[in-house]
Amino acid sequence: MAMPLRQSVKVATYLAEQKLRRRDKFPLIVELEPLFACNLKCEGCGKIQHPAGVLKQRMPVAQAVGAVLESGAPMVSIAGGEPLMHPQIDEIVRQLVARRKYVFLCTNAMLLRKKMDKFTPSPYFAFAVHIDGLRERHDESVAKEGVFDEAVAAIKEAKRRGFRVTTNSTFFNTDTPQTIVEVLNYLNDDLEVDEMMISPAYAYEKAPDQEHFLGVEQTRELFRKAFAGGNRRRWRLNHSPLFLDFLEGKVDFPCTAWAIPNYSLFGWQRPCYLMSDGYVPTYRELIEETDWDQYGRGKDPRCANCMAHCGYEPTAVLATMGSLKESLRALRETVSGNRE
């Protein structure tokens, strides 16, 4: 897997334990949303469409940490909304790191330089900054000028202070292979972020902009061209090799949304953070009372164009662990940095 060796070993050990316990559904990473409020109005996001009363709510620390512990997942992605707006976000991170959970704090970075003193560098913690393109393209996607420059300044400062910094980039049908290459080259070579995550935009039903999401064939063609010329081998992409194959259309997988469950102010969301078919109060109810077989491409019309990380990266990871050849391939990339 394309992640730090220590993290790879912990995840591999965790997966082996699930197999020994004969569990067929379990979480790899929890998407934790301790608030929905945000300081930006991105066109592809529907979180801030909630009523004002909901946007004012902040999840208590004990509730946030308790949900992660209840699930047993080894990794946590803290999102929202903008998590740095949560007054106790540093305490949520501190308690999760103290329990040796790998924590990724997703942020648009507008508050990052102001809040950075609240956090301590750790191999278990990383800031995950959202970057959707170079200056003009990124600022257009978040509907505000100056956001790209502030994000870049925050990334540089975080790196200077010894924090791990990853990025998350969502691409739309307005992107071209060249725009993808340009931003990933910049993040990889100029900013030298630790790792990069990429995702094709999925038709999130509450998003204000419904015109620029990618279809399956568009996604495959876009990434096939962007990955050409050896780019996959040199970019520090935070994905398993099989998921990158999936984006290119070299392999296909069923959705395993249960492996990246979402917990928010409303509870555990079924089936994933991109679709809302109700909420349940416990992780056990989410797993045992959700009809997972009804979701995925070819089953639910809403899933027809989805190739999102939350549904298909865990499938790729499980396929990797079930194949000696793919396990060795992933290990080789982790150790040597080689991308295929």
Side-chain angles (χ1 to χ4, degrees):
M1 295 173 63
M3 61 176 65
L5 185 58
R6 179 189 301 186
Q7 186 178 346
S8 295
V9 170
K10 180 165 184 175
V11 171
T13 302
Y14 169 80
L15 291 174
E17 290 174 353
Q18 307 314 305
K19 187 174 182 178
L20 286 173
R21 295 179 182 182
R22 297 183 178 180
R23 292 177 176 170
D24 60 348
K25 290 183 175 61
F26 47 84
L28 282 174
I29 181 169
V30 168
E31 295 273 1
L32 177 66
E33 295 178 328
L35 79 172
F36 292 129
C38 190
N39 49 3
L40 292 177
K41 298 179 180 180
C42 302
E43 291 297 317
C45 177
K47 296 297 181 181
I48 61 170
Q49 306 304 314
H50 289 292
V54 174
L55 294 179
K56 292 178 181 179
Q57 295 180 31
R58 304 293 184 262
M59 187 182 293
V61 173
Q63 181 181 346
V65 175
V68 175
L69 296 182
E70 176 198 1
S71 75
M75 298 180 287
V76 186
S77 174
I78 305 178
E82 170 51 56
L84 289 177
M85 293 176 64
H86 193 296
Q88 295 176 292
I89 189 61
D90 55 319
E91 182 61 18
I92 293 175
V93 170
R94 189 193 68 78
Q95 291 197 25
L96 291 172
V97 168
R99 291 166 171 81
R100 298 194 174 186
K101 302 293 183 181
Y102 283 93
V103 179
F104 298 86
L105 194 156
C106 303
T107 176
N108 59 41
M110 291 295 288
L111 296 172
L112 183 51
R113 287 197 288 176
K114 295 178 182 179
K115 304 282 188 176
M116 205 175 295
D117 287 340
K118 292 178 172 287
F119 302 91
T120 303
S122 166
Y124 290 94
F125 176 66
F127 290 114
V129 181
H130 205 98
I131 300 288
D132 280 347
L134 296 181
R135 182 180 291 107
E136 182 178 353
R137 193 166 196 82
H138 180 71
D139 287 356
E140 181 182 6
S141 74
V142 300
K144 186 174 182 179
E145 293 185 2
V147 176
F148 178 83
D149 289 338
E150 178 58 34
V152 167
I155 288 171
K156 290 180 177 178
E157 178 62 14
K159 293 284 291 180
R160 187 189 70 79
R161 296 195 192 187
F163 288 98
R164 288 190 65 231
V165 180
T166 67
T167 55
N168 187 4
S169 300
T170 304
F171 298 111
F172 297 80
N173 65 12
T174 50
D175 277 291
T176 66
Q178 186 58 32
T179 62
I180 293 177
V181 169
E182 288 172 354
V183 68
L184 294 183
N185 277 348
Y186 179 74
L187 297 172
N188 192 84
D189 303 335
D190 295 283
L191 283 187
E192 297 182 333
V193 300
D194 293 280
E195 293 169 321
M196 301 173 291
M197 181 181 292
I198 57 178
S199 182
Y202 165 74
Y204 186 65
E205 62 181 358
K206 291 185 179 180
D209 182 358
Q210 291 289 318
E211 298 179 2
H212 297 120
F213 294 107
L214 287 160
V216 171
E217 292 307 317
Q218 285 179 300
T219 296
R220 290 169 175 167
E221 181 179 4
L222 185 65
F223 285 105
R224 190 181 302 122
K225 292 179 178 179
F227 290 160
N231 287 328
R232 272 183 63 172
R233 289 193 293 272
R234 61 187 188 82
W235 287 333
R236 292 182 296 279
L237 296 174
N238 186 20
H239 295 289
S240 61
L242 277 179
F243 180 72
L244 299 178
D245 289 347
F246 169 75
L247 290 181
E248 288 193 67
K250 293 179 178 179
V251 297
D252 201 9
F253 293 121
C255 173
T256 49
W258 46 263
I260 305 186
N262 173 274
Y263 185 78
S264 71
L265 294 165
F266 299 143
W268 293 98
Q269 182 173 334
R270 56 162 64 115
C272 65
Y273 84 97
L274 293 169
M275 292 167 53
S276 181
D277 284 355
Y279 299 84
V280 292
T282 68
Y283 175 74
R284 182 173 181 175
E285 288 176 86
L286 175 73
I287 294 300
E288 295 181 356
E289 298 181 13
T290 302
D291 184 2
W292 298 102
D293 291 335
Q294 70 176 319
Y295 298 107
R297 280 187 279 116
K299 299 177 180 179
D300 189 315
R302 296 172 297 176
C303 304
N305 290 316
C306 181
M307 295 183 71
H309 162 81
C310 64
Y312 295 97
E313 177 78 84
T315 323
V317 170
L318 294 173
T320 297
M321 295 301 295
S323 164
L324 177 59
K325 177 182 176 181
E326 292 299 334
S327 295
L328 291 174
R329 178 189 180 196
L331 179 61
R332 182 170 68 250
E333 294 194 6
T334 298
V335 174
S336 68
N338 181 44
R339 301 288 191 266
E340 293 183 359

